[in-house]
Amino acid sequence: MMFLKCPQLAVSLSSRALASSPVARRSNRSSSILLYRMASTSAWGLKDIGLIKTQGYIDGKWVDAQNSETILVTNPATEEELGTVPEMGLEETQAAISAAGKAFKVWGKTTAKYRHDILKDLYALMQEHHDDLGKIITLENGKTLAEGKGESAYSASFIEWFAEEAVRTYGEHIPSPFPSVRNIVIKQPVGVVSILTPWNFPSAMITRKLGAALAAGCTAIIKPSPETPFSALAIAELARRAGVPDGVINVVTTQKNVEAVGRELCQNKMVKKVSFTGSTPVAKLLYGLASSTLKKVSIEAGGNAPFIVFDDADIEKAVEGAIACKFRGSGQTCVCANRIYVQSSVYADFASKLSEKVAAFRVGNGLDEATTHGPLIHEKAIDKVKRHIDDAVSRGAQVLVGGQRVPGAGSFFSPTILSDVPLDAAINTEETFGPVAALIKFETEEEVITLANDTDVGLAGYFFSRDVGRVWRVAEALEVGMVGTNTGLISHATIPFGGVKESGLGREGSHGIEEYLNQKLIAFGGV
């Protein structure tokens, strides 16, 4: 994962009123088209071209960078230009933080019901524009249109979930040992929040954080990945149409100024919380910056997920689970299987069935209905995948399927299966973030648990077994924050998403709104 899914920070680091009414939304949609600027409108093919914004969003206004510089955004499947967004820097970031701080004075005092209603309106708009949002994801990220639309629905589900969570932020009464004292605990929003997100889920990684922040009463500055900024800007536009007041949501786009922007988002005293999804090295750097003012921090960092197939597993189901887990998004997810351990007695059968399925994949442009898997995000991703394959082969691994870059335009790589991968291969210690399934043979339950836990990170883990006792033993023994038992898919809005060890801090989804709230004790004496 990175800053956003890139290895290093510099890539090394008040009233809703008429604005939220259906009539006003239609009017806003028409007028917003005038703000649209990009290389070619035909490149998008959207029903509502007003969703495409080529400016940042600060204090309710669409703005360019003060230096007029821009970032070129391309389609990774075709290498064609999609458009540009501003190359913002420190001054714009400070302006966004100031706007969020000003807006918090009002937004933080609104009722939970008020915020619930606005979030429900935003959810409705995301549903209404589901197809367009999915297509934006596909064009800037490269994933198939089916996956793009799937992410659009997934993204909207966080807004729906946290709309309902807004009205469930209950306090409590704590009995006092003293008869004249009553202890009441209330919950209040932490304040201004910095949200830093990756390119692999350019919409869902934002709403998983933003939904919780808005529901709690916080205001936000979003720094999306420079590879995929248009999804973030489309969400900001829909939030504007839904009646989110000026300054509550701000979007700062940057690439070459990422170090200065990231530092300000973490160290500015007005910011009270930082939420980051990205690589572990960058997470550590941002955590250190945020510690200067002891901010609340939520981090979802790198993974190195084990996927274990025991000899009593349903092999067909295990193959289906491995495909869903490993090759979703062409292997560019933080929870995808990175090390596939297969018990020796079923190793050959599993490898054969998995190879047959993967060989039938069709790699191509995500807009092509026949495509099953899209490109990687950029050349650096291609280079890392190739390095991991070459390293494993040099140490004795065999290529069963794929193993090569797909020739032609776009950053495509053939889905790959490696067998007999040695334990000292780089792919066992580094997150590949690509379409490579590394198969490793094991003999006993104790052995594979030791192997699975032999990593500094612990985001997700998976295993397939039909032995009830083993299911409990292994699920409890894996040192990860999330376990998929007889399934390769675990993510949805209602579960606590997060890891242990160096995979991060805190949880998102589920009751993740608590990450954006402070508890306050009010002790009433003299009763």
Side-chain angles (χ1 to χ4, degrees):
M1 309 188 59
M2 56 187 258
F3 193 78
L4 292 139
K5 242 25 181 173
C6 94
Q8 315 301 342
L9 176 56
V11 170
S12 61
L13 224 126
S14 273
S15 169
R16 299 170 58 197
L18 295 175
S20 62
S21 70
V23 173
R25 286 179 191 150
R26 299 300 185 270
S27 176
N28 287 339
R29 289 170 195 162
S30 298
S31 63
S32 64
I33 294 176
L34 298 176
L35 297 173
Y36 171 69
R37 307 169 305 144
M38 65 165 295
S40 170
T41 56
S42 61
W44 293 97
L46 305 183
K47 299 173 185 176
D48 184 354
I49 200 63
L51 292 176
I52 300 302
K53 299 298 179 185
T54 58
Q55 296 171 291
Y57 189 61
I58 298 175
D59 202 13
K61 300 178 181 64
W62 297 103
V63 296
D64 293 315
Q66 293 188 24
N67 60 13
S68 300
E69 293 185 13
T70 59
I71 303 164
L72 177 64
V73 183
T74 60
N75 182 339
T78 64
E79 300 178 357
E80 295 174 346
E81 177 180 341
L82 290 173
T84 62
V85 294
E87 179 65 86
M88 292 177 159
L90 181 60
E91 291 184 2
E92 293 88 348
T93 304
Q94 291 173 337
I97 293 172
S98 178
K102 180 181 177 181
F104 176 69
K105 294 177 182 179
V106 177
W107 181 255
K109 295 178 181 178
T110 58
T111 66
K113 179 63 166 58
Y114 178 89
R115 299 192 297 272
H116 163 275
D117 290 350
I118 284 188
L119 286 170
K120 290 292 282 188
D121 284 349
L122 176 55
Y123 170 71
L125 284 170
M126 293 185 73
Q127 292 289 88
E128 178 183 342
H129 295 279
H130 168 73
D131 289 347
D132 279 354
L133 295 173
K135 194 167 187 179
I136 292 171
I137 292 168
T138 292
L139 286 167
E140 65 179 352
N141 169 274
K143 62 181 63 176
T144 66
L145 188 56
E147 285 191 306
K149 290 181 178 180
E151 181 182 342
S152 176
Y154 180 49
S155 178
S157 74
F158 287 106
I159 299 299
E160 179 186 37
W161 172 259
F162 284 114
E164 302 299 342
E165 283 288 278
V167 295
R168 293 196 288 261
T169 54
Y170 309 125
E172 62 179 328
H173 165 251
I174 301 175
S176 170
F178 307 108
S180 61
V181 175
R182 303 292 183 269
N183 295 317
I184 303 297
V185 176
I186 64 172
K187 296 178 181 179
Q188 296 178 304
V190 298
V192 176
V193 177
S194 295
I195 295 175
L196 304 102
T197 58
W199 50 257
N200 62 329
F201 286 93
S203 181
M205 294 302 95
I206 290 173
T207 58
R208 190 159 72 185
K209 304 170 188 295
L210 182 65
L214 297 185
C218 299
T219 55
I221 305 96
I222 302 167
K223 196 226 80 70
S225 168
E227 288 89 353
T228 56
F230 290 112
S231 289
L233 295 167
I235 290 170
E237 168 61 12
L238 290 181
R240 183 190 69 79
R241 298 181 191 182
V244 175
D246 295 350
V248 172
I249 297 175
N250 304 272
V251 182
V252 174
T253 55
T254 189
Q255 186 173 45
K256 73 177 185 180
N257 298 320
V258 64
E259 186 170 6
V261 170
R263 183 178 298 277
E264 187 67 16
L265 289 173
C266 290
Q267 290 189 324
N268 189 296
K269 290 185 177 181
M270 194 175 295
V271 174
K272 302 304 180 184
K273 177 178 171 60
V274 176
S275 183
F276 168 75
T277 295
S279 71
T280 296
V282 174
K284 291 178 179 179
L285 177 58
L286 297 180
Y287 191 25
L289 295 175
S291 70
S292 65
T293 52
L294 293 181
K295 301 184 193 304
K296 295 190 73 167
V297 176
S298 297
I299 292 174
E300 189 259 285
N304 187 4
F307 185 102
I308 305 168
V309 182
F310 288 101
D311 56 8
D312 61 344
D314 182 324
I315 299 302
E316 297 287 349
K317 294 292 185 183
V319 168
E320 291 176 10
I323 290 173
C325 177
K326 171 69 255 184
F327 293 101
R328 178 188 181 196
S330 295
Q332 299 174 111
T333 78
C334 53
V335 293
C336 75
N338 205 57
R339 301 165 291 153
I340 301 179
Y341 299 104
V342 186
Q343 203 152 16
S344 59
S345 61
V346 295
Y347 185 90
D349 188 27
F350 178 86
S352 175
K353 287 181 167 63
L354 182 63
S355 297
E356 182 181 358
K357 295 283 188 181
V358 172
F361 290 170
R362 177 167 174 172
V363 177
N365 191 319
L367 296 181
D368 185 343
E369 292 185 358
T371 295
T372 61
H373 293 78
L376 301 188
I377 190 66
H378 45 45
E379 286 299 315
K380 289 182 180 179
I382 291 279
D383 292 343
K384 186 174 187 181
V385 167
K386 192 67 169 66
R387 176 172 64 83
H388 277 190
I389 292 172
D390 290 346
D391 173 77
V393 170
S394 72
R395 298 172 188 274
Q398 302 295 315
V399 178
L400 299 184
V401 176
Q404 298 294 327
R405 178 173 186 159
V406 177
S411 49
F412 295 99
F413 201 94
S414 299
T416 300
I417 298 178
L418 300 176
S419 68
D420 303 316
V421 176
L423 297 178
D424 62 351
I427 201 168
N428 282 321
T429 57
E430 301 175 11
E431 186 180 29
T432 303
F433 233 66
V436 183
L439 306 188
I440 305 158
K441 192 179 298 183
F442 75 92
E443 297 295 337
T444 68
E445 180 181 315
E446 293 74 19
E447 174 195 5
V448 77
I449 289 174
T450 299
L451 292 172
N453 290 338
D454 187 22
T455 176
D456 292 332
V457 294
L459 187 57
Y462 309 83
F463 69 94
F464 278 71
S465 172
R466 288 181 285 193
D467 182 314
V468 175
R470 171 176 281 164
V471 164
W472 278 106
R473 289 193 305 273
V474 176
E476 292 176 348
L478 290 177
E479 296 173 356
V480 296
M482 301 172 287
V483 177
T485 301
N486 294 319
T487 180
L489 296 174
I490 57 175
S491 301
H492 49 89
T494 61
I495 59 104
F497 191 100
V500 299
K501 298 197 282 192
E502 294 185 16
S503 282
L505 303 166
R507 293 294 182 269
E508 296 182 322
S510 187
H511 301 305
I513 193 172
E514 298 292 339
E515 303 281 345
Y516 297 84
L517 294 166
N518 288 325
Q519 290 190 18
K520 177 181 285 185
L521 168 67
I522 303 175
F524 292 89
V527 177

